[in-house]
Amino acid sequence: MGTLIRSRHDVWVRAEDASAIGALRRSAVALAESRGFGEEDTGRVAVAVSEAASNLVKHAVEGVMLIRPHPELDSAIEVLAIDKGPGMRDVSRALRDGYSTTGTLGIGLGGIARMASGYEVHSVLGRGTVLGMYFTAHGAERPPSRVSGLTRPIGEESVCGDAFVITEAGPVTTVMLCDGLGHGPAAAQASSEAVRLFLLHSEHPPLTVLERVHLGLGHTRGGAVAVARVDGATGTVSFAGLGNVSAWIVHGDGRQGMISVPGIAGHKARTLRQYEYTAPRHGVVLLHSDGLSERWDITNYPGLVARPPSVVAGTLLREAGTRRDDACVVVVRPGV
């Protein structure tokens, strides 16, 4: 089956006052130690996370941070810092040591970049900033940054009814997103069952996988399900969807929608179909649940499509996500 990536319970922490800085640092240190990081590498993680959190507290509007095992490489750590403003006019200037600004992540950004094993920043003045970084132990393997997914539960729920799962085999990436009907534990149970069924049948074409998931969800609440197979060697995308999952092929100048049929997986559906598309060389394939509005325009975020999938996903979650539903977004960058 190759590499397997599935959604975890993403825990987003608000960075609104100084007490959040210490809590985020301790969380990052504990994760680094659990991944076998030595003292020096753990120290890098602690300082970078503290600096990023401090800037969110001091300068951000609605700043949040996510610290988790890297979805592509469990031995690595991924950190996302996201805010809704004020954004930076000149990111390259902010990366210079000693540069100071009232904009988010301006102070210490150059130091953060040096301490991280990998990092990327995307910022739009007036909209906000997304800082994505990862950490590995000294000399360890680094993640390829080809795929990423994010989940966020509705309101203050502790579980998310949306889930995703990804398998990789050479240049071929197959992803399923399930939006369990409603929210809460029953929705999460439906999406977890969809993940289990996907893993039993993931070697089949997307249409067959979708049919098996649809047949297997009858004892659950059901949900919306989409399956996409992206072949980086040929630039083709095979897609089958049932229900309200939004699926897009995105490039710097716009996006192309992929077709899902109406219905609820596990309960009712029209004839299921599979469609074939071509992915642009420098684009991404993007799936999201209806916890994100479709009213986003990629041209409002210059250069975003070229950023790592985690930064693309984080920006779309910030811009289009709603607190009135569970949310999930998955981004795949085709490539060999």
Side-chain angles (χ1 to χ4, degrees), residues 293-306:
S293 164
E294 293 187 348
R295 291 177 296 181
W296 50 270
D297 182 350
I298 198 67
T299 62
N300 289 332
Y301 316 102
L304 179 61
V305 172

Side-chain angles (χ1 to χ4, degrees), residues 22 38 106 145 171 184 186 192 205 215 219 249 281 298 313 323 329:
S145 296
S192 294
L215 289 172
H219 66 288
I249 296 171
R281 181 177 179 85
I298 198 67
R323 279 296 184 182
V329 55

Side-chain angles (χ1 to χ4, degrees), residues 108-315:
L109 187 56
I112 291 172
R114 285 199 313 276
M115 287 180 279
S117 302
Y119 77 96
E120 189 61 78
V121 183
H122 187 268
S123 189
V124 176
L125 197 65
R127 288 187 177 269
T129 299
V130 175
L131 166 65
M133 50 186 171
Y134 68 81
F135 301 87
T136 60
H138 181 70
E141 178 185 2
R142 297 191 176 197
S145 296
R146 281 181 50 188
V147 299
S148 189
L150 298 172
T151 62
R152 187 181 67 190
I154 184 174
E156 301 302 322
E157 281 276 7
S158 59
V159 296
C160 184
D162 295 355
F164 69 89
V165 58
I166 301 167
T167 60
E168 291 185 300
V172 178
T173 301
T174 305
V175 56
M176 183 197 73
L177 189 156
C178 178
D179 177 354
L181 193 64
H183 56 84
Q189 191 268 334
S191 60
S192 294
E193 179 65 5
V195 168
R196 187 188 73 83
L197 292 164
F198 170 87
L199 293 174
L200 290 176
H201 306 291
S202 62
E203 74 278 7
H204 296 291
L207 177 59
T208 303
V209 176
L210 181 61
E211 290 171 340
R212 303 287 173 82
V213 172
H214 174 48
L215 289 172
L217 287 185
H219 66 288
T220 73
R221 180 180 286 185
V225 177
V227 182
R229 176 159 294 157
V230 183
D231 189 330
T234 63
T236 59
V237 182
S238 301
F239 178 79
L242 172 57
N244 194 20
V245 172
S246 298
W248 310 93
I249 296 171
V250 184
H251 50 84
D253 297 324
R255 64 184 184 181
Q256 174 188 3
M258 296 189 284
I259 299 173
S260 291
V261 301
I264 301 172
H267 296 280
K268 59 180 180 180
R270 298 180 182 177
T271 301
L272 301 180
R273 300 184 183 278
Q274 178 172 308
Y275 298 90
E276 307 298 322
Y277 302 90
T278 300
R281 181 177 179 85
H282 300 294
V284 297
V285 175
L286 190 151
L287 277 62
H288 66 76
S289 69
D290 63 359
L292 281 76
S293 164
E294 293 187 348
R295 291 177 296 181
W296 50 270
D297 182 350
I298 198 67
T299 62
N300 289 332
Y301 316 102
L304 179 61
V305 172
R307 300 301 199 275
S310 60
V311 175
V312 178
T315 301

